[in-house]
Amino acid sequence: MSTTATLADSDSPFGMPEAVDAASVKMPELAFKPDPSDAGDYDKYYYFRRTDTDFATAYADVRECDGYARGLASGIGYTQVPYPYTGTVAGAVGGALGNLMAQAIFGSGEKRRVRRVNMRTCMHFKGYDRYGLPKKLWTEFNFEEGLSGVSEKDRTRYLQQQALVASSAAPQEKALGL
């Protein structure tokens, strides 16, 4: 159980979400037999839960935290090539290709990591506990944003499922903390 205080009167800069009937949202499967190999991935694959929270509040909280974590930059940007051909066409093409490769290799993973950090921090601030899941179950109601995103329709469905879990799931194991 979390001891973090919540601010009931804090308004989201993203506005209030549309009213959704929790009964219309599909509860994802959360039951699993803990495996020691899964625990190593709990920093990536988890769900949030806060006791005595209704679906509408959880949905507003998840949407707000998603708003803060959405569309983040990876921090990897264009870097000038450090060799004698810097001012030439060949140097420019080589630099552009090198930067594109760096962004493709490191940028996507870094964006996913930063999103996870922001979601965890925001939901922790709001008083939610975090519980681990195997990747297979996690992918049923979560998404990762690297160099590509997810459609608004899918994003909304996932966030509604996350809110349903956050407001009504029965955790099997102990909370993981931030």
Side-chain angles (χ1 to χ4, degrees):
M1 175 172 267
S2 177
T3 58
T4 306
T6 57
L7 303 174
D9 63 345
S10 70
D11 290 329
S12 169
F14 307 103
M16 289 302 296
E18 70 284 359
V20 176
D21 179 14
S24 69
V25 179
K26 180 185 177 225
M27 176 61 101
E29 179 63 44
L30 299 175
F32 69 99
K33 189 171 203 153
D35 182 317
S37 65
D38 291 330
D41 286 335
Y42 287 168
D43 64 321
K44 293 180 183 180
Y45 309 118
Y46 50 82
Y47 65 93
F48 298 106
R49 171 75 171 105
R50 186 171 74 186
T51 306
D52 299 327
T53 298
D54 61 69
F55 173 77
T57 302
Y59 186 40
D61 290 343
V62 168
R63 273 201 55 225
E64 180 178 358
C65 292
D66 175 67
Y68 293 129
R70 165 181 219 166
L72 298 170
S74 70
I76 297 176
Y78 183 80
T79 303
Q80 186 66 26
V81 292
Y83 53 84
Y85 303 107
T86 298
T88 67
V89 172
V93 170
L97 290 174
N99 281 287
L100 284 172
M101 287 176 48
Q103 183 70 286
I105 295 168
F106 303 110
S108 183
E110 180 62 9
K111 285 180 83 168
R112 289 190 308 271
R113 186 193 69 77
V114 170
R115 176 179 168 67
R116 284 191 302 271
V117 167
N118 279 13
M119 286 297 292
R120 285 169 57 168
T121 302
C122 181
M123 292 298 281
H124 178 77
F125 174 78
K126 291 181 169 291
Y128 289 82
D129 290 314
R130 186 173 63 90
Y131 298 90
L133 274 180
K135 181 178 181 178
K136 182 179 181 204
L137 296 178
W138 182 88
T139 56
E140 295 300 315
F141 66 106
N142 287 278
F143 58 92
E144 292 190 298
E145 283 186 309
L147 296 178
S148 63
V150 62
S151 73
E152 282 303 312
K153 181 180 176 183
D154 288 341
R155 176 183 230 102
T156 299
R157 179 175 46 84
Y158 289 137
L159 295 178
Q160 288 172 354
Q161 287 181 293
Q162 290 170 28
L164 185 62
V165 168
S167 64
S168 61
Q172 297 181 49
E173 296 191 21
K174 64 179 183 163
L176 298 172
L178 182 63

